[in-house]
Amino acid sequence: MSVVDQVRTKVQRILTDNFGKVEIDRDNDFVARKDSAVTFIRVREGFGDDGTIIDVKCPLLMEVPLTKELFQWVATEGQMYKLGGVWVNPDDNGKTGWVYFKYAIIGEDLDESELMTAVGVVLVTSDQLDNELQEKFGGELFGE
């Protein structure tokens, strides 16, 4: 079993212990929800042969107009969180895109409190931030 598979099994066990069950989407990501926030947890290769990274990300908005104001907010205020940050993924048309909140942790020495803190930070922050950003920049909420 690869290191990524080992960490993925550990992540699934921790999430199941804390949430009672684990939803897995079609991309094989784990899914956690809080109100309008839908958070995806993915285990992937990291640094070196045995490195793993756990990405915890939540789409906040989709089809949001890509404006100078949005990019400025993401580059400044969106990067000022103590844990995690906001980023934009433009659509192919270059005029709209998706806005995410993301936090990543190293998976090799993962413990339960570290993973659950990461998931909690992303869920709580995203649930508050998605509505605020929609009012400010438009677009559609992902979790609705």
Side-chain angles (χ1 to χ4, degrees), residues 116-130:
M116 293 313 298
T117 296
V119 172
V121 163
V122 173
L123 279 171
V124 170
T125 303
S126 298
D127 184 47
Q128 296 169 350
L129 195 54
D130 58 1

Side-chain angles (χ1 to χ4, degrees), residues 53-93:
I53 295 174
I54 301 167
D55 291 319
V56 184
K57 71 178 182 178
C58 181
L60 304 172
L61 299 172
M62 52 189 189
E63 297 183 21
V64 63
L66 301 179
T67 63
K68 177 182 174 186
E69 292 78 19
L70 172 66
F71 284 118
Q72 183 174 0
W73 187 93
V74 169
T76 55
E77 292 180 52
Q79 302 307 308
M80 295 179 75
Y81 292 89
K82 291 181 180 178
L83 298 173
V86 179
W87 57 282
V88 174
N89 188 17
D91 293 330
D92 290 339
N93 66 23

Side-chain angles (χ1 to χ4, degrees), residues 7-139:
V7 173
R8 184 174 162 69
T9 299
K10 186 174 184 179
V11 167
Q12 184 170 6
R13 181 188 50 76
I14 292 170
L15 293 173
T16 301
D17 288 349
N18 283 273
F19 290 117
K21 65 178 182 174
V22 176
E23 180 182 346
I24 301 174
D25 72 0
R26 67 176 177 230
D27 294 325
N28 215 22
D29 294 336
F30 300 111
V31 181
R33 300 174 187 270
K34 179 182 179 354
D35 300 325
S36 62
V38 181
T39 298
F40 300 92
I41 301 109
R42 173 176 289 174
V43 180
R44 63 181 173 90
E45 290 182 3
F47 307 101
D49 293 336
D50 294 331
T52 55
I53 295 174
I54 301 167
D55 291 319
V56 184
K57 71 178 182 178
C58 181
L60 304 172
L61 299 172
M62 52 189 189
E63 297 183 21
V64 63
L66 301 179
T67 63
K68 177 182 174 186
E69 292 78 19
L70 172 66
F71 284 118
Q72 183 174 0
W73 187 93
V74 169
T76 55
E77 292 180 52
Q79 302 307 308
M80 295 179 75
Y81 292 89
K82 291 181 180 178
L83 298 173
V86 179
W87 57 282
V88 174
N89 188 17
D91 293 330
D92 290 339
N93 66 23
K95 296 179 184 192
T96 59
W98 290 56
V99 177
Y100 293 86
F101 187 82
K102 179 180 174 183
Y103 180 48
I105 57 177
I106 302 298
E108 293 89 82
D109 296 323
L110 179 69
D111 64 31
E112 183 173 348
S113 65
E114 182 180 25
L115 177 63
M116 293 313 298
T117 296
V119 172
V121 163
V122 173
L123 279 171
V124 170
T125 303
S126 298
D127 184 47
Q128 296 169 350
L129 195 54
D130 58 1
N131 293 309
E132 176 187 321
L133 293 181
Q134 185 186 37
E135 285 180 26
K136 191 175 265 190
F137 300 111

